[in-house]
Amino acid sequence: MGTSLSSIHIFGDRSPVGCGSSFRSYSPNWLTFVDDLSEKGPDHADLVARNISKQIDAPVLLFGVFDSEMIWFTFFRNGKMASRYTDEQFISNKRLYDIPAMVGYEEGYKKRLSTILTCADTERKIDMLEEFFGVCLRYFPELSEGAEMLHVQRGDVLYKAYWEEEKKLTGKVAPMALSLLAEYPGKLFTDYFGGFKTTKDHYFLYGYAAEGSTPNSKALTPVHFDGRSLTATDAETYAQGRIPCRYGDARFQYQYGTPCKVTFSDDCPPTFCGKTMTLPGGCFPLEFLPSGELLLVGQHRILVVDDTLKVVARLSIKGDVADVLDNYILTASGGSFYAYLYEPNAKIYIYEIIKK
């Protein structure tokens, strides 16, 4: 198990009066809540932080991490949420770009915060947030007397090192890039509503591309993903050769934990088989390219890994990956695969991975 905790901090040097809570200053311009929150859940910490913010005219920061894999933080002002960030996919962020000004930065720091929040490595993301805010976010009551351990000074050393690495993975010098080949309105499904028992590689049902689409089988057209496009096919071709749905991929043998690891079976390319890789946070093996590199998939991103298990490129995508064929990636956004209804923002994308 990784680290799970909640911590509360006030940006300022004045403690609230009469709130019944204890604070100490370990870093300049910050007060840390030192009462024990470990026996209570995140909801309790949220209530405590909200109540503290009612009693002081200063931003109150609530930070949380679960199992060293997911983080969230909220700034409160006067008992109300002023801004929020979370790694949770189905909870929206709120007013992130107000944060730099709330903690004393002048103009020009919004991009830095945005870059930090895209970091896929949770521990590294926390390190950079501590450096950005200038406060120790991973506070444990057991460390309350360790002033030196809890002291954090604002700076940009960690951020600059990370940014230089990112430019090599995502910038002009990255060895690979993505080209958007096609974009379609609508959704994809593996089968008709209620029929999720069989599948067929590279065949889907396409529909709900226009307002007024009926929520039934007549709204769906069988299509084939040929790499560069989706082409309509007939119902008979779609129905032939379907096999039971497969869950998991026998080529990838996981050792779940923190961190999560994967061992590549003998069915993988020879340069990978038998090796074990520590997976970047939130990423899992997807497929191998014809040229031999491994693709990892994360939230709205593809990582390319060479046979030394080094990430050599980080590529941003829209939607979630639906299929991979050679160098082509099919993705879908909105409620594809489960919501049989029209959504105006639902889109389908086809990308090509290009070696530079």
Side-chain angles (χ1 to χ4, degrees):
M1 291 290 288
T3 299
S4 298
L5 61 82
S6 297
S7 65
I8 299 172
H9 314 270
I10 298 173
F11 183 64
D13 55 9
R14 185 172 61 87
S15 300
V17 178
C19 71
S21 301
S22 301
F23 296 87
R24 287 188 62 180
S25 177
Y26 298 103
S27 301
N29 300 315
W30 285 95
L31 294 172
T32 294
F33 178 85
V34 296
D35 295 345
D36 192 356
L37 292 169
S38 61
E39 299 301 318
K40 303 291 181 68
D43 289 344
H44 172 75
D46 185 284
L47 180 62
V48 171
R50 193 181 295 271
N51 287 337
I52 290 171
S53 74
K54 293 178 181 178
Q55 301 174 56
I56 190 167
D57 184 20
V60 175
L61 167 61
L62 168 65
F63 173 81
V65 57
F66 175 74
D67 201 19
S68 296
E69 292 184 351
M70 183 177 74
I71 72 163
W72 61 92
F73 59 84
T74 305
F75 278 89
F76 294 100
R77 296 296 300 261
N78 302 316
K80 298 180 180 180
M81 180 190 300
S83 64
R84 172 180 63 202
Y85 170 80
T86 176
D87 287 338
E88 173 59 50
Q89 182 177 357
F90 299 108
I91 299 178
S92 60
N93 298 321
K94 179 179 179 181
R95 304 185 71 171
L96 292 180
Y97 294 134
D98 291 350
I99 292 174
M102 268 195 285
V103 295
Y105 282 106
E106 297 178 356
E107 292 294 323
Y109 286 86
K110 296 176 182 178
K111 180 179 179 180
R112 176 177 164 186
L113 177 61
S114 177
T115 301
I116 291 171
L117 295 178
T118 61
C119 179
D121 184 322
T122 301
E123 290 296 327
R124 193 171 190 181
K125 182 190 293 189
I126 297 173
D127 288 341
M128 289 190 289
L129 284 172
E130 290 181 335
E131 181 185 59
F132 182 80
F133 292 137
V135 67
C136 179
L137 300 172
R138 289 164 290 196
Y139 171 81
F140 291 94
E142 295 82 0
L143 302 177
S144 60
E145 299 304 320
E148 291 186 3
M149 295 178 61
L150 297 172
H151 177 82
V152 175
Q153 193 75 31
R154 280 192 179 182
D156 59 9
V157 174
L158 300 179
Y159 170 73
K160 285 183 174 179
Y162 172 72
W163 180 236
E164 287 302 315
E165 293 177 22
E166 282 296 292
K167 286 193 291 185
K168 295 177 182 178
L169 298 177
T170 62
K172 294 181 180 180
V173 298
M176 294 189 181
L178 279 182
S179 174
L180 179 61
L181 298 182
E183 178 178 329
Y184 304 86
K187 297 181 178 181
L188 291 176
F189 301 89
T190 54
D191 209 342
Y192 295 102
F193 180 75
F196 304 111
K197 296 180 180 179
T198 62
T199 185
K200 184 177 181 178
D201 288 347
H202 315 309
Y203 281 82
F204 300 91
L205 297 172
Y206 169 66
Y208 302 106
E211 192 170 4
S213 301
T214 54
N216 56 43
S217 297
K218 294 181 181 180
L220 302 175
T221 300
V223 294
H224 174 233
F225 174 50
D226 62 14
R228 301 187 67 88
S229 64
L230 288 174
T231 57
T233 187
D234 58 88
E236 182 178 355
T237 301
Y238 169 81
Q240 288 175 345
R242 297 183 68 81
I243 62 174
C245 287
R246 297 163 293 186
Y247 297 98
D249 190 325
R251 296 176 298 172
F252 308 124
Q253 301 161 4
Y254 294 100
Q255 297 96 57
Y256 294 102
T258 304
C260 182
K261 298 181 180 181
V262 63
T263 298
F264 302 100
S265 76
D266 292 342
D267 293 324
C268 295
T271 53
F272 280 85
C273 64
K275 294 181 179 179
T276 297
M277 178 182 183
T278 298
L279 295 171
C283 294
F284 294 92
L286 176 63
E287 190 53 84
F288 292 95
L289 292 173
S291 53
E293 294 88 354
L294 169 70
L295 298 183
L296 301 180
V297 60
Q299 185 175 357
H300 305 310
R301 63 185 183 272
I302 296 289
L303 276 61
V304 183
V305 179
D306 67 14
D307 57 12
T308 68
L309 307 186
K310 178 184 177 181
V311 175
V312 296
R314 194 189 317 276
L315 312 172
S316 296
I317 58 173
K318 295 180 180 180
D320 299 313
V321 174
D323 199 5
V324 177
L325 181 59
D326 296 332
N327 287 336
Y328 303 97
I329 299 175
L330 177 68
T331 73
S333 65
S336 280
F337 302 107
Y338 65 88
Y340 289 77
L341 49 81
Y342 172 72
E343 292 181 63
N345 296 323
K347 296 286 183 65
I348 300 162
Y349 307 92
I350 297 177
Y351 295 93
E352 181 183 8
I353 297 179
I354 300 173
K355 272 195 169 186
K356 295 182 180 179

